Amino acid sequence: MRLLALVAAAFLLTVFQAQAQIYEPYNGYDDFDGYGYDDPYSPYPPPLDYDPAPPYQEPLHDRRQPPTGRAKGTIEIVTSEHTLIYTTPWGEQFAYPIAVGREGKQWYGSTRVVSKRAHPEWRPTAGMRQKNPRLPAVVKPGPANPLGTRAIYLADGLLRIHGTNDPSSIGTNASSGCFRMYRQDVEELYEIVQPGTKVIVRR
């Protein structure tokens, strides 16, 4: 009798697991009218219900590039080409398309990665909130968050490499200096880059 009960319980568990919901990657970015980190004049919509860590099943793009002699363990951003190239400490290279700063908002030089955060909060600056009083003090993780699902913070405390809620901006001059990446790309880079990594930003 006890054996029969165990078999029945195992069968029911299998059925319930088979009916478990599978969450697809969030693809509703266009619903937010292009609101971005660097556009304080845009209307800010209320965030939708959001699973902060949905299973991401879409295969990542293969961004590996043949070695070109760049310094190992370095991120190089080529602003004019809207490209970020990371050379790992063991010499493997990954290249990603990015959005860069608008004219007059671009920065060039050397810095380094100081920290990383998954599902970051966004805190508009006092200047942004003064220009657009509708902005909240804090934007929690979700599809309306302009930093996307990952943020990599650079040493000056202002610039970031991060995701975006406006993927159509990738490949353009769209930000106030930060570097935006597609979701799957920033999630891949986040996993392989470490604090202390040198970052070189070129024209």
Side-chain angles (χ1 to χ4, degrees):
M1 186 68 171
R2 188 173 297 174
L3 179 61
L4 184 60
L6 288 173
V7 171
F11 175 77
L12 289 174
L13 184 61
T14 302
V15 170
F16 284 126
Q17 285 181 339
Q19 294 177 348
Q21 185 174 2
I22 297 175
Y23 292 90
E24 295 297 323
Y26 181 77
N27 63 359
Y29 292 103
D30 292 337
D31 297 339
F32 292 89
D33 198 30
Y35 176 82
Y37 170 82
D38 302 296
D39 189 0
Y41 300 100
S42 293
Y44 181 75
L48 301 176
D49 292 336
Y50 178 70
D51 177 356
Y56 197 75
Q57 299 175 351
E58 180 179 327
L60 298 175
H61 298 294
D62 188 359
R63 299 296 189 185
R64 291 171 180 81
Q65 301 289 309
T68 57
R70 288 184 166 88
K72 294 180 179 180
T74 301
I75 291 174
E76 183 175 335
I77 293 171
V78 186
T79 303
S80 61
E81 298 178 8
H82 302 96
T83 301
L84 180 153
I85 301 165
Y86 174 50
T87 305
T88 68
W90 51 92
E92 193 173 17
Q93 289 187 341
F94 297 80
Y96 305 97
I98 58 172
V100 301
R102 298 188 297 271
E103 191 69 32
K105 298 289 186 178
Q106 296 174 359
W107 177 90
Y108 309 99
S110 297
T111 182
R112 61 187 174 86
V113 174
V114 292
S115 63
K116 308 187 297 181
R117 180 163 297 176
H119 306 290
E121 293 181 343
W122 176 55
R123 297 176 181 272
T125 65
M128 287 181 175
R129 297 189 69 204
Q130 185 176 11
K131 292 175 182 176
N132 185 355
R134 292 171 296 182
L135 288 175
V138 180
V139 180
K140 297 292 185 182
N145 189 311
L147 299 184
T149 62
R150 301 288 187 275
I152 299 169
Y153 296 84
L154 305 183
D156 57 16
L158 297 174
L159 295 181
R160 304 175 183 88
I161 299 167
H162 61 77
T164 180
N165 64 349
D166 182 15
S168 65
S169 68
I170 303 300
T172 69
N173 299 2
S175 76
S176 288
C178 288
F179 307 103
R180 303 177 186 172
M181 301 179 69
Y182 288 120
R183 172 179 172 168
Q184 63 268 31
D185 291 345
V186 76
E187 289 180 358
E188 181 178 72
L189 182 65
Y190 179 93
E191 293 300 322
I192 58 179
V193 75
Q194 299 301 321
T197 299
K198 185 175 182 179
V199 179
I200 301 172
V201 182
R202 305 189 189 280
R203 293 185 183 275

